[in-house]
Amino acid sequence: LESARVGNWDYDAVNDRTRRSRLFNEIFGYKEAPAHWGYRDFSRHIHPEDSELFDRRFRNALAKGPDFDVQVRIRVALE
């Protein structure tokens, strides 16, 4: 993941919390990892034109199973 510059994350839907790689946080523009990162935090970074697709796929994964695969444009944080 590091050599490909890919960040990863695991989502706990029950508690709306994630475990994120250091690179994930960097890709989203954070020098320090945010203390909390849940659905709303992630969705705030989704490009507005992609937000409906993201939301639909996310809710589908919650309803039908753990697989979640979506490619969207993101907006990075400006710390």
Side-chain angles (χ1 to χ4, degrees):
L1 293 175
E2 290 286 327
S3 64
R5 298 274 312 145
V6 174
N8 71 316
W9 59 296
D10 292 309
Y11 181 64
D12 173 357
V14 173
N15 296 303
D16 189 40
R17 300 196 60 82
T18 58
R19 186 177 68 226
R20 303 164 314 274
S21 69
R22 177 190 55 78
L23 189 53
F24 177 93
N25 293 313
E26 288 178 13
I27 289 168
F28 278 82
Y30 296 101
K31 292 178 183 174
E32 298 292 327
H36 179 268
W37 184 277
Y39 174 78
R40 288 185 184 178
D41 304 292
F42 190 93
S43 63
R44 279 192 283 257
H45 286 276
I46 303 299
H47 188 282
E49 292 176 10
D50 297 340
S51 63
E52 185 179 324
L53 170 65
F54 174 77
D55 188 58
R56 185 173 59 250
R57 295 267 179 93
F58 184 83
R59 295 192 186 285
N60 188 51
L62 289 177
K64 295 184 179 179
D67 293 333
F68 177 62
D69 182 23
V70 66
Q71 293 184 23
V72 295
R73 295 168 286 178
I74 63 168
R75 300 179 295 177
V76 298
L78 300 173
E79 288 190 310

Coordinates of all heavy atoms in Angstrom, one line a residue:
L1 N 0.8 -1.2 0.0 CA 0.0 0.0 0.0 C 0.9 1.3 0.0 O 0.5 2.2 -0.7 CB -0.9 0.0 1.2 CG -2.0 -1.1 1.2 CD1 -2.8 -1.0 2.5 CD2 -2.9 -0.9 0.1
E2 N 1.9 1.2 0.8 CA 2.8 2.4 0.8 C 3.4 2.8 -0.5 O 3.4 3.9 -1.0 CB 3.9 2.2 1.9 CG 3.4 2.2 3.3 CD 3.0 3.6 3.8 OE1 3.6 4.6 3.4 OE2 2.1 3.7 4.6
S3 N 4.0 1.7 -1.2 CA 4.6 2.0 -2.5 C 3.6 2.5 -3.6 O 4.0 3.2 -4.5 CB 5.4 0.8 -3.0 OG 4.6 -0.3 -3.2
A4 N 2.4 2.0 -3.5 CA 1.4 2.4 -4.4 C 0.7 3.7 -4.0 O -0.1 4.2 -4.8 CB 0.3 1.3 -4.6
R5 N 1.1 4.3 -2.9 CA 0.4 5.5 -2.3 C -1.1 5.3 -2.2 O -1.9 6.1 -2.6 CB 0.8 6.7 -3.2 CG 2.2 7.1 -3.3 CD 2.8 7.9 -2.2 NE 2.0 9.1 -1.9 CZ 2.0 9.6 -0.6 NH1 2.6 9.0 0.3 NH2 1.2 10.6 -0.4
V6 N -1.5 4.2 -1.6 CA -2.9 3.9 -1.3 C -3.1 3.8 0.2 O -2.3 3.1 0.9 CB -3.2 2.5 -1.9 CG1 -4.7 2.1 -1.6 CG2 -3.1 2.5 -3.4
G7 N -4.1 4.6 0.6 CA -4.4 4.5 2.1 C -5.5 3.5 2.3 O -6.3 3.2 1.3
N8 N -5.6 3.0 3.5 CA -6.7 2.1 3.7 C -7.4 2.4 5.1 O -6.9 3.1 5.9 CB -6.3 0.6 3.7 CG -5.4 0.3 4.9 OD1 -4.5 1.0 5.2 ND2 -5.6 -0.9 5.4
W9 N -8.6 1.9 5.2 CA -9.4 2.2 6.4 C -10.4 1.0 6.6 O -10.8 0.4 5.6 CB -10.1 3.5 6.3 CG -11.1 3.7 5.1 CD1 -10.8 3.7 3.8 CD2 -12.5 3.9 5.2 NE1 -11.9 3.9 3.1 CE2 -13.0 4.0 3.9 CE3 -13.4 4.0 6.3 CZ2 -14.3 4.2 3.6 CZ3 -14.7 4.2 6.0 CH2 -15.2 4.3 4.7
D10 N -10.7 0.8 7.8 CA -11.8 -0.2 8.2 C -12.8 0.6 9.0 O -12.5 1.4 9.8 CB -11.2 -1.3 9.1 CG -10.2 -2.2 8.4 OD1 -10.6 -2.7 7.3 OD2 -9.1 -2.4 8.9
Y11 N -14.1 0.3 8.7 CA -15.2 1.0 9.3 C -16.0 0.2 10.2 O -16.4 -0.9 9.9 CB -16.1 1.6 8.2 CG -17.3 2.4 8.7 CD1 -17.1 3.6 9.3 CD2 -18.6 1.9 8.4 CE1 -18.2 4.3 9.8 CE2 -19.7 2.7 8.9 CZ -19.4 3.9 9.6 OH -20.5 4.6 10.0
D12 N -16.3 0.6 11.4 CA -17.1 0.0 12.4 C -18.5 0.7 12.3 O -18.6 1.8 12.9 CB -16.5 0.1 13.8 CG -17.4 -0.4 14.9 OD1 -18.6 -0.8 14.7 OD2 -16.9 -0.4 16.1
A13 N -19.4 0.1 11.6 CA -20.7 0.8 11.4 C -21.5 0.9 12.7 O -22.3 1.9 12.8 CB -21.5 0.1 10.3
V14 N -21.4 0.0 13.6 CA -22.1 0.1 14.8 C -21.8 1.3 15.6 O -22.6 2.0 16.2 CB -21.9 -1.2 15.7 CG1 -22.5 -1.1 17.0 CG2 -22.5 -2.4 14.9
N15 N -20.5 1.6 15.7 CA -20.0 2.7 16.5 C -19.6 3.9 15.7 O -19.2 4.9 16.2 CB -18.8 2.3 17.3 CG -19.2 1.2 18.3 OD1 -20.0 1.4 19.1 ND2 -18.5 0.1 18.2
D16 N -19.8 3.9 14.4 CA -19.4 4.9 13.4 C -18.0 5.4 13.7 O -17.7 6.6 13.8 CB -20.4 6.1 13.5 CG -20.2 7.1 12.5 OD1 -19.9 6.7 11.3 OD2 -20.3 8.4 12.7
R17 N -17.1 4.5 13.7 CA -15.7 4.8 13.9 C -14.8 4.0 12.8 O -15.3 3.0 12.3 CB -15.2 4.4 15.3 CG -16.0 5.2 16.3 CD -15.4 5.2 17.7 NE -14.1 5.8 17.8 CZ -13.8 7.1 17.9 NH1 -14.8 8.0 17.9 NH2 -12.6 7.5 18.1
T18 N -13.7 4.6 12.6 CA -12.8 3.9 11.6 C -11.4 3.7 12.2 O -11.0 4.4 13.2 CB -12.6 4.7 10.3 OG1 -12.1 6.0 10.7 CG2 -13.9 4.9 9.6
R19 N -10.7 2.8 11.6 CA -9.3 2.6 11.8 C -8.6 2.9 10.5 O -9.0 2.4 9.5 CB -9.0 1.2 12.3 CG -7.5 1.0 12.6 CD -7.2 -0.4 13.1 NE -7.3 -1.3 12.0 CZ -8.0 -2.5 12.0 NH1 -8.5 -2.9 13.1 NH2 -8.0 -3.3 11.0
R20 N -7.7 3.9 10.5 CA -7.2 4.4 9.2 C -5.7 4.3 9.2 O -5.0 4.5 10.2 CB -7.5 5.9 9.1 CG -9.0 6.1 9.1 CD -9.4 7.6 9.3 NE -8.7 8.3 10.4 CZ -9.1 8.3 11.6 NH1 -10.1 7.6 12.1 NH2 -8.4 9.1 12.5
S21 N -5.1 4.1 8.0 CA -3.7 4.1 7.9 C -3.1 5.5 7.9 O -3.9 6.5 7.7 CB -3.2 3.4 6.6 OG -3.6 4.2 5.5
R22 N -1.9 5.6 8.2 CA -1.2 7.0 8.3 C -1.4 7.6 6.9 O -1.7 8.8 6.8 CB 0.2 6.8 8.6 CG 1.0 8.2 8.6 CD 2.5 7.9 8.7 NE 3.1 7.0 7.7 CZ 3.3 7.3 6.4 NH1 3.0 8.5 6.0 NH2 3.8 6.5 5.6
L23 N -1.2 6.8 5.8 CA -1.3 7.4 4.5 C -2.7 7.8 4.1 O -2.9 8.8 3.4 CB -0.8 6.4 3.5 CG -0.6 6.9 2.0 CD1 0.3 8.1 2.0 CD2 0.0 5.8 1.2
F24 N -3.7 7.1 4.6 CA -5.1 7.6 4.4 C -5.2 9.0 4.9 O -5.8 9.8 4.2 CB -6.0 6.6 5.2 CG -7.5 7.0 5.1 CD1 -8.3 6.5 4.1 CD2 -8.0 7.9 6.0 CE1 -9.6 6.9 4.0 CE2 -9.4 8.3 5.9 CZ -10.1 7.8 4.9
N25 N -4.8 9.2 6.2 CA -4.9 10.6 6.7 C -4.2 11.6 5.9 O -4.7 12.7 5.7 CB -4.4 10.6 8.2 CG -5.3 9.8 9.1 OD1 -6.5 9.9 9.0 ND2 -4.7 8.9 9.9
E26 N -3.0 11.3 5.4 CA -2.2 12.2 4.6 C -2.9 12.5 3.3 O -2.9 13.6 2.8 CB -0.8 11.6 4.4 CG 0.1 11.6 5.6 CD 1.4 11.0 5.3 OE1 1.8 10.7 4.1 OE2 2.2 10.7 6.3
I27 N -3.4 11.5 2.6 CA -4.1 11.7 1.4 C -5.3 12.7 1.5 O -5.5 13.5 0.7 CB -4.6 10.3 0.8 CG1 -3.4 9.5 0.3 CG2 -5.6 10.5 -0.3 CD1 -3.8 8.0 0.0
F28 N -5.9 12.6 2.7 CA -7.1 13.5 2.9 C -6.6 14.9 3.5 O -7.4 15.7 3.8 CB -8.1 12.8 3.9 CG -9.0 11.9 3.1 CD1 -8.6 10.6 2.8 CD2 -10.3 12.4 2.7 CE1 -9.5 9.8 2.1 CE2 -11.1 11.5 2.0 CZ -10.7 10.2 1.7
G29 N -5.3 15.1 3.6 CA -4.8 16.4 3.9 C -4.5 16.6 5.4 O -4.3 17.7 5.8
Y30 N -4.5 15.6 6.2 CA -4.3 15.7 7.6 C -2.8 15.4 8.0 O -2.4 14.2 7.7 CB -5.2 14.8 8.4 CG -6.7 15.2 8.2 CD1 -7.5 14.5 7.4 CD2 -7.2 16.3 8.9 CE1 -8.8 14.9 7.2 CE2 -8.5 16.7 8.7 CZ -9.3 16.0 7.9 OH -10.6 16.4 7.7
K31 N -2.1 16.3 8.7 CA -0.8 16.0 9.2 C -0.9 15.1 10.4 O -0.1 14.2 10.6 CB -0.1 17.3 9.5 CG 0.3 18.0 8.2 CD 1.0 19.3 8.5 CE 1.2 20.1 7.2 NZ 1.8 21.4 7.5
E32 N -1.9 15.4 11.2 CA -2.2 14.6 12.4 C -3.6 13.9 12.2 O -4.5 14.6 11.7 CB -2.3 15.5 13.7 CG -1.0 16.2 14.0 CD 0.1 15.3 14.4 OE1 -0.2 14.3 15.1 OE2 1.3 15.6 14.1
A33 N -3.7 12.7 12.6 CA -4.9 12.0 12.4 C -6.1 12.6 13.2 O -5.9 12.8 14.4 CB -4.7 10.5 12.8
P34 N -7.2 12.8 12.6 CA -8.4 13.3 13.4 C -8.7 12.3 14.5 O -8.7 11.1 14.2 CB -9.5 13.4 12.4 CG -8.8 13.5 11.0 CD -7.5 12.7 11.2
A35 N -9.2 12.8 15.6 CA -9.5 11.8 16.7 C -10.7 11.0 16.3 O -10.7 9.8 16.7 CB -9.8 12.6 18.0
H36 N -11.7 11.5 15.6 CA -12.8 10.7 15.2 C -12.9 10.9 13.7 O -12.7 11.9 13.1 CB -14.1 11.3 15.9 CG -15.3 10.5 15.4 ND1 -16.1 10.9 14.4 CD2 -15.9 9.4 15.9 CE1 -17.1 10.0 14.2 NE2 -17.0 9.1 15.1
W37 N -13.3 9.8 13.1 CA -13.5 9.8 11.6 C -14.6 8.7 11.4 O -14.4 7.5 11.4 CB -12.3 9.4 10.9 CG -12.4 9.4 9.4 CD1 -12.9 8.5 8.6 CD2 -12.0 10.5 8.5 NE1 -12.9 8.8 7.3 CE2 -12.3 10.1 7.2 CE3 -11.4 11.7 8.7 CZ2 -12.1 10.9 6.1 CZ3 -11.2 12.5 7.6 CH2 -11.5 12.1 6.3
G38 N -15.8 9.2 11.1 CA -16.9 8.4 10.8 C -17.5 8.7 9.4 O -16.9 9.4 8.6
Y39 N -18.7 8.2 9.2 CA -19.4 8.4 7.9 C -19.5 9.9 7.5 O -19.2 10.3 6.4 CB -20.8 7.8 7.9 CG -21.6 8.1 6.7 CD1 -21.3 7.4 5.5 CD2 -22.5 9.1 6.6 CE1 -22.0 7.7 4.3 CE2 -23.2 9.4 5.5 CZ -22.9 8.7 4.3 OH -23.6 9.0 3.2
R40 N -20.0 10.7 8.4 CA -20.1 12.2 8.1 C -18.8 12.8 7.8 O -18.7 13.7 6.9 CB -20.8 12.9 9.2 CG -22.3 12.6 9.3 CD -23.0 13.4 10.3 NE -24.4 12.9 10.4 CZ -25.3 13.4 11.2 NH1 -24.9 14.3 12.0 NH2 -26.5 12.9 11.2
D41 N -17.8 12.5 8.5 CA -16.4 13.0 8.3 C -15.9 12.7 6.9 O -15.4 13.5 6.2 CB -15.5 12.5 9.4 CG -15.9 12.8 10.8 OD1 -16.0 14.0 11.1 OD2 -16.3 11.8 11.5
F42 N -16.1 11.4 6.5 CA -15.7 11.0 5.2 C -16.5 11.6 4.1 O -15.9 12.2 3.2 CB -15.8 9.4 5.1 CG -15.2 8.9 3.9 CD1 -13.9 8.4 3.9 CD2 -15.9 8.8 2.7 CE1 -13.2 7.9 2.7 CE2 -15.3 8.3 1.5 CZ -14.0 7.9 1.6
S43 N -17.8 11.7 4.3 CA -18.7 12.2 3.3 C -18.5 13.7 3.0 O -18.7 14.2 1.9 CB -20.1 11.9 3.6 OG -20.6 12.5 4.7
R44 N -18.0 14.4 4.0 CA -17.7 15.9 3.8 C -16.5 16.1 2.8 O -16.4 17.1 2.3 CB -17.3 16.5 5.2 CG -18.5 16.9 6.0 CD -18.1 17.8 7.1 NE -17.5 17.0 8.2 CZ -18.1 16.7 9.3 NH1 -19.3 17.0 9.5 NH2 -17.5 16.0 10.2
H45 N -15.7 15.1 2.6 CA -14.6 15.1 1.7 C -14.9 14.7 0.3 O -14.1 14.9 -0.6 CB -13.4 14.3 2.2 CG -12.7 14.9 3.4 ND1 -11.8 15.9 3.3 CD2 -12.9 14.7 4.7 CE1 -11.3 16.2 4.5 NE2 -12.0 15.5 5.4
I46 N -16.1 14.1 0.1 CA -16.5 13.7 -1.2 C -16.9 14.9 -2.1 O -17.6 15.8 -1.7 CB -17.7 12.7 -1.1 CG1 -17.3 11.5 -0.2 CG2 -18.1 12.2 -2.5 CD1 -16.2 10.7 -0.6
H47 N -16.4 14.8 -3.3 CA -16.8 15.9 -4.3 C -18.3 15.9 -4.4 O -18.9 14.9 -4.5 CB -16.1 15.6 -5.6 CG -16.3 16.7 -6.6 ND1 -17.4 16.9 -7.3 CD2 -15.4 17.6 -7.0 CE1 -17.2 18.0 -8.1 NE2 -16.0 18.4 -7.9
P48 N -18.9 17.1 -4.4 CA -20.4 17.2 -4.5 C -21.0 16.4 -5.6 O -22.1 15.8 -5.4 CB -20.6 18.7 -4.6 CG -19.4 19.3 -4.0 CD -18.3 18.4 -4.3
E49 N -20.4 16.3 -6.8 CA -20.9 15.6 -7.9 C -20.9 14.1 -7.7 O -21.6 13.3 -8.4 CB -20.2 15.9 -9.2 CG -20.4 17.4 -9.6 CD -19.7 17.7 -10.8 OE1 -19.1 16.8 -11.5 OE2 -19.6 18.9 -11.2
D50 N -20.1 13.6 -6.7 CA -20.0 12.2 -6.4 C -20.7 11.7 -5.2 O -20.7 10.6 -4.8 CB -18.5 11.8 -6.3 CG -17.8 12.0 -7.6 OD1 -18.4 12.1 -8.7 OD2 -16.5 12.1 -7.6
S51 N -21.2 12.7 -4.4 CA -21.8 12.4 -3.1 C -23.0 11.4 -3.2 O -23.1 10.6 -2.3 CB -22.1 13.6 -2.3 OG -23.1 14.4 -3.0
E52 N -23.9 11.6 -4.2 CA -25.0 10.7 -4.3 C -24.6 9.2 -4.5 O -25.1 8.3 -3.9 CB -26.0 11.1 -5.4 CG -27.2 10.3 -5.4 CD -28.2 10.8 -6.5 OE1 -28.3 12.0 -6.7 OE2 -28.9 10.0 -7.1
L53 N -23.6 9.1 -5.4 CA -23.1 7.7 -5.7 C -22.5 7.1 -4.5 O -22.7 6.0 -4.1 CB -22.1 7.8 -6.8 CG -21.3 6.5 -7.1 CD1 -22.2 5.4 -7.6 CD2 -20.1 6.8 -8.0
F54 N -21.7 7.9 -3.8 CA -21.0 7.4 -2.5 C -22.1 7.0 -1.5 O -22.0 5.9 -1.0 CB -20.1 8.5 -1.9 CG -19.5 8.1 -0.6 CD1 -18.5 7.2 -0.5 CD2 -20.1 8.7 0.5 CE1 -18.0 6.9 0.7 CE2 -19.6 8.3 1.8 CZ -18.5 7.4 1.9
D55 N -23.0 7.8 -1.3 CA -24.1 7.5 -0.3 C -24.9 6.3 -0.7 O -25.1 5.4 0.2 CB -25.0 8.7 -0.1 CG -26.0 8.6 1.0 OD1 -25.5 8.4 2.2 OD2 -27.2 8.6 0.8
R56 N -25.2 6.1 -1.9 CA -26.0 5.0 -2.4 C -25.2 3.7 -2.2 O -25.7 2.7 -1.6 CB -26.4 5.2 -3.8 CG -27.3 4.1 -4.3 CD -27.8 4.3 -5.7 NE -26.8 4.5 -6.7 CZ -26.5 5.6 -7.3 NH1 -27.1 6.7 -7.1 NH2 -25.5 5.7 -8.2
R57 N -23.9 3.7 -2.6 CA -23.1 2.5 -2.4 C -22.8 2.2 -1.0 O -22.8 1.0 -0.6 CB -21.8 2.7 -3.2 CG -21.9 2.8 -4.7 CD -21.7 1.5 -5.4 NE -21.9 1.6 -6.8 CZ -20.9 1.8 -7.7 NH1 -19.7 1.9 -7.2 NH2 -21.2 1.9 -8.9
F58 N -22.6 3.2 -0.2 CA -22.3 3.0 1.2 C -23.6 2.4 1.9 O -23.4 1.4 2.6 CB -22.0 4.3 1.9 CG -21.6 4.2 3.3 CD1 -20.3 3.9 3.7 CD2 -22.6 4.5 4.3 CE1 -20.0 3.8 5.0 CE2 -22.2 4.4 5.7 CZ -20.9 4.0 6.0
R59 N -24.7 2.9 1.7 CA -25.9 2.4 2.3 C -26.3 0.9 1.8 O -26.7 0.1 2.5 CB -27.1 3.3 2.1 CG -26.9 4.6 2.8 CD -28.1 5.5 2.9 NE -27.7 6.8 3.5 CZ -27.5 7.0 4.8 NH1 -27.6 6.0 5.6 NH2 -27.2 8.2 5.2
N60 N -26.0 0.7 0.5 CA -26.1 -0.6 0.0 C -25.2 -1.6 0.7 O -25.6 -2.8 1.0 CB -25.9 -0.6 -1.5 CG -26.2 -1.9 -2.2 OD1 -27.3 -2.4 -2.0 ND2 -25.3 -2.5 -2.9
A61 N -24.0 -1.3 0.9 CA -23.1 -2.1 1.6 C -23.5 -2.4 3.1 O -23.4 -3.5 3.5 CB -21.7 -1.5 1.7
L62 N -24.1 -1.4 3.7 CA -24.6 -1.6 5.1 C -25.8 -2.6 5.1 O -25.9 -3.4 6.0 CB -25.0 -0.3 5.7 CG -23.9 0.7 6.1 CD1 -24.4 2.0 6.7 CD2 -22.9 0.0 7.1
A63 N -26.6 -2.5 4.1 CA -27.8 -3.3 4.0 C -27.6 -4.7 3.5 O -28.2 -5.6 4.0 CB -28.9 -2.6 3.1
K64 N -26.6 -4.9 2.6 CA -26.5 -6.2 1.9 C -25.2 -6.9 2.3 O -25.1 -8.1 1.9 CB -26.6 -6.0 0.4 CG -27.9 -5.5 0.0 CD -28.0 -5.4 -1.5 CE -29.4 -4.9 -1.9 NZ -29.6 -4.8 -3.3
G65 N -24.3 -6.3 2.9 CA -23.0 -7.0 3.2 C -21.8 -6.1 3.3 O -21.9 -4.9 3.0
P66 N -20.7 -6.7 3.7 CA -19.6 -5.8 4.0 C -18.8 -5.3 2.8 O -18.0 -4.4 3.0 CB -18.7 -6.8 4.8 CG -19.0 -8.1 4.2 CD -20.5 -8.1 3.9
D67 N -19.0 -5.7 1.6 CA -18.2 -5.3 0.5 C -18.7 -3.8 0.1 O -19.8 -3.6 -0.1 CB -18.4 -6.2 -0.7 CG -17.8 -7.5 -0.5 OD1 -16.8 -7.6 0.3 OD2 -18.3 -8.5 -1.1
F68 N -17.7 -3.0 0.0 CA -17.9 -1.6 -0.3 C -16.8 -1.2 -1.3 O -15.6 -1.2 -1.0 CB -17.8 -0.7 0.9 CG -18.0 0.8 0.7 CD1 -19.2 1.3 0.1 CD2 -17.0 1.6 1.0 CE1 -19.3 2.6 -0.1 CE2 -17.1 3.0 0.8 CZ -18.3 3.5 0.2
D69 N -17.2 -0.9 -2.5 CA -16.3 -0.6 -3.6 C -16.9 0.6 -4.3 O -17.9 0.5 -5.0 CB -16.1 -1.8 -4.5 CG -15.1 -1.5 -5.6 OD1 -14.2 -0.6 -5.4 OD2 -15.1 -2.1 -6.6
V70 N -16.2 1.7 -4.2 CA -16.6 2.9 -5.0 C -15.4 3.8 -5.2 O -14.5 3.9 -4.4 CB -17.7 3.7 -4.2 CG1 -17.2 4.2 -2.9 CG2 -18.4 4.8 -5.0
Q71 N -15.4 4.4 -6.4 CA -14.3 5.4 -6.7 C -15.0 6.8 -6.8 O -15.9 6.9 -7.6 CB -13.6 5.0 -8.0 CG -12.8 3.7 -7.8 CD -12.1 3.4 -9.1 OE1 -11.8 4.3 -9.9 NE2 -11.7 2.2 -9.3
V72 N -14.5 7.7 -6.0 CA -15.1 9.0 -6.0 C -13.9 10.0 -5.9 O -12.8 9.7 -5.5 CB -16.0 9.3 -4.8 CG1 -17.3 8.4 -4.9 CG2 -15.4 9.0 -3.5
R73 N -14.2 11.2 -6.3 CA -13.2 12.3 -6.1 C -13.3 12.9 -4.7 O -14.4 12.9 -4.2 CB -13.5 13.4 -7.1 CG -13.3 12.9 -8.6 CD -13.8 13.9 -9.6 NE -15.3 13.8 -9.5 CZ -16.1 14.6 -10.3 NH1 -15.6 15.5 -11.1 NH2 -17.4 14.4 -10.2
I74 N -12.2 13.3 -4.2 CA -12.2 13.8 -2.8 C -11.7 15.2 -2.8 O -11.0 15.7 -3.7 CB -11.4 12.9 -1.8 CG1 -10.0 12.9 -2.2 CG2 -12.0 11.5 -1.7 CD1 -9.1 12.3 -1.1
R75 N -12.1 15.9 -1.7 CA -11.5 17.2 -1.4 C -10.7 17.1 -0.2 O -11.1 16.5 0.8 CB -12.6 18.2 -1.2 CG -13.6 18.4 -2.4 CD -14.7 19.3 -2.2 NE -15.6 18.8 -1.1 CZ -16.6 19.4 -0.7 NH1 -16.9 20.6 -1.1 NH2 -17.4 18.9 0.3
V76 N -9.4 17.6 -0.2 CA -8.6 17.4 0.9 C -8.8 18.5 2.0 O -9.3 19.6 1.6 CB -7.1 17.4 0.5 CG1 -6.8 16.2 -0.4 CG2 -6.7 18.7 -0.1
A77 N -8.4 18.2 3.2 CA -8.6 19.2 4.3 C -7.5 20.2 4.1 O -6.4 20.0 3.7 CB -8.4 18.5 5.6
L78 N -7.8 21.4 4.6 CA -6.8 22.5 4.6 C -6.6 22.9 6.0 O -7.3 23.7 6.6 CB -7.4 23.7 3.8 CG -7.7 23.5 2.3 CD1 -8.4 24.7 1.7 CD2 -6.5 23.1 1.5
E79 N -5.6 22.2 6.6 CA -5.3 22.5 8.0 C -4.5 23.7 8.1 O -3.7 24.1 7.4 CB -4.5 21.3 8.6 CG -5.3 20.1 8.8 CD -4.6 19.0 9.6 OE1 -3.5 18.7 9.3 OE2 -5.3 18.6 10.6

